[in-house]
Amino acid sequence: MVSTTSLNNRVGYFNTLLFLLTFNSLIYSQETIKFQNIYDLDGDGVKESLLLNSGEHSISWVEIVDSKIKELLWSYNLPNGGSFLDAELADINNDQNPEIIVIARNSLFSVNQNWLYVFIGNDNLFDKDPITSDYLSLDLGTTIRPLNISKISGTKNQIAVAFGTPIRKAMIFNLLINDMNLEIEKINLLKAQIIENGYGHIYASGFKNNDKTYFAILSPENNKIKTAVFDMDSGGALLKSDVFLVGDATYLIGAGIQPYKTQDGVSGGLVIPYGSDDMFILQVNDSEVLFNKTDIISGEIPEVVSY
């Protein structure tokens, strides 16, 4: 693996993020970089992070010192060489210990195949084995492909997952843990023709703007990005869909799409970063959806670590 400081000058972001290069390349792609936010769950002052498909593990929790992996604290391996796509942390069971919520990449489809994994947080980090949910729990068929997962701002256990071809929709649901079983409740499928008729990767995230709650589905295609914005205060009604040009921006960093907050904590839209050091912000002004390039940086620039 490669550790380099040159990327520090190429990528700026408003949150402290961890970058992991998975092979000797500085080219950004869906498979090249897996990163999550920086944490310190044990409170010892040493940075910690969740890594996906890195080293010998499908998922791992590590300590980072001087931009290098100091210690492996926890790990889990999927059977048969499986891999994970995206993850979030949220305290689902309200015990002050965050759970890892992660979606798996599936190459062979079956209603009995697990797509959602939750590792319950405990005083020693996370449980050794996950609790899971299979495709049968969704009733969406056996050929759906979960692509990314995100938390809905301002909620305790509301999660969003974007699904690719053939359905190309986003699903918002409440995730509960009951007697060591996962329960998916209040499923809301959001769709827009502009997304369904596309071919690009799909990302989805909630955000707030002007004290209102919105949800966006994004799909980059060449030098443009298709967007569909939904008004969550109106039950998820489609507010507007549009196509925006991104110029020479390349390699959208899906895991970096996050709601933006100013330094005084005011929510102000959705930041969409590209690996080419281009950054955009999606905002809503009344019923108008705005998409503009921005240079927002209110935190440290990302770190690059070797593993």
Side-chain angles (χ1 to χ4, degrees):
M1 306 309 161
V2 176
S3 177
T4 174
T5 58
S6 66
L7 289 181
N8 284 341
N9 298 322
R10 295 182 58 196
V11 182
Y13 195 39
F14 70 96
N15 202 357
T16 304
L17 297 175
L18 170 72
F19 273 46
L20 175 72
L21 301 185
T22 57
F23 57 85
N24 296 350
S25 174
L26 297 185
I27 298 176
Y28 289 88
S29 71
Q30 179 186 346
E31 298 301 324
T32 312
I33 300 173
K34 302 295 182 187
F35 62 101
Q36 297 293 331
N37 291 341
I38 299 293
Y39 302 90
D40 182 15
L41 293 187
D42 56 13
D44 63 357
V46 180
K47 295 177 181 178
E48 303 166 6
S49 185
L50 175 68
L51 303 183
L52 302 181
N53 313 315
S54 59
E56 299 177 354
H57 306 290
S58 302
I59 186 170
S60 55
W61 192 268
V62 298
E63 283 191 336
I64 307 161
V65 175
D66 295 330
S67 297
K68 294 183 180 180
I69 303 300
K70 176 187 176 184
E71 185 178 356
L72 174 67
L73 302 178
W74 172 90
S75 66
Y76 175 82
N77 289 321
L78 284 168
N80 304 316
S83 61
F84 288 116
L85 281 166
D86 197 12
E88 275 286 3
L89 264 70
D91 184 11
I92 303 174
N93 56 10
N94 202 29
D95 66 353
Q96 307 305 311
N97 294 313
E99 278 70 56
I100 299 176
I101 310 164
V102 59
I103 53 176
R105 181 193 309 278
N106 294 317
S107 55
L108 299 175
F109 296 101
S110 166
V111 292
N112 296 317
Q113 188 173 19
N114 294 323
W115 70 279
L116 185 66
Y117 291 69
V118 173
F119 297 90
I120 295 178
N122 56 46
D123 293 338
N124 297 315
L125 284 181
F126 308 102
D127 285 357
K128 179 180 178 181
D129 297 312
I131 51 179
T132 60
S133 182
D134 57 28
Y135 286 103
L136 189 61
S137 64
L138 299 178
D139 194 26
L140 295 176
T142 62
T143 59
I144 58 174
R145 296 187 301 124
L147 297 179
N148 93 298
I149 187 170
S150 61
K151 294 182 293 187
I152 302 298
S153 300
T155 67
K156 185 184 75 171
N157 58 359
Q158 200 168 78
I159 303 296
V161 174
F163 291 94
T165 304
I167 66 171
R168 298 184 65 83
K169 296 178 177 68
M171 179 179 71
I172 299 176
F173 57 93
N174 292 325
L175 186 61
L176 307 174
I177 299 175
N178 187 13
D179 294 330
M180 296 303 292
N181 291 308
L182 285 183
E183 295 182 1
I184 295 176
E185 293 186 347
K186 297 182 180 178
I187 292 178
N188 187 10
L189 280 175
L190 300 181
K191 63 179 181 178
Q193 188 174 13
I194 194 173
I195 302 295
E196 291 179 299
N197 292 339
Y199 61 85
H201 198 93
I202 295 180
Y203 305 94
S205 178
F207 66 99
K208 286 183 174 290
N209 206 171
N210 297 325
D211 296 323
K212 296 196 65 176
T213 303
Y214 301 98
F215 186 82
I217 304 177
L218 312 169
S219 182
E221 295 181 2
N222 298 321
N223 67 335
K224 59 190 177 183
I225 183 168
K226 293 183 174 182
T227 64
V229 177
F230 302 83
D231 186 346
M232 300 310 295
D233 295 329
S234 299
L238 178 63
L239 178 66
K240 189 174 182 181
S241 58
D242 209 338
V243 179
F244 298 103
L245 297 178
V246 297
D248 296 329
T250 53
Y251 310 116
L252 190 153
I253 304 175
I257 298 173
Q258 293 189 27
Y260 170 66
K261 285 188 176 182
T262 62
Q263 292 183 347
D264 55 4
V266 177
S267 300
L270 188 69
V271 172
I272 304 165
Y274 281 74
S276 53
D277 200 20
D278 297 286
M279 193 177 309
F280 298 87
I281 185 165
L282 183 72
Q283 296 175 306
V284 179
N285 185 7
D286 293 327
S287 60
E288 184 179 6
V289 175
L290 308 174
F291 184 84
N292 295 299
K293 197 169 184 179
T294 182
D295 58 358
I296 291 172
I297 300 176
S298 61
E300 297 180 23
I301 55 179
E303 296 185 40
V304 181
V305 303
S306 59
Y307 189 77

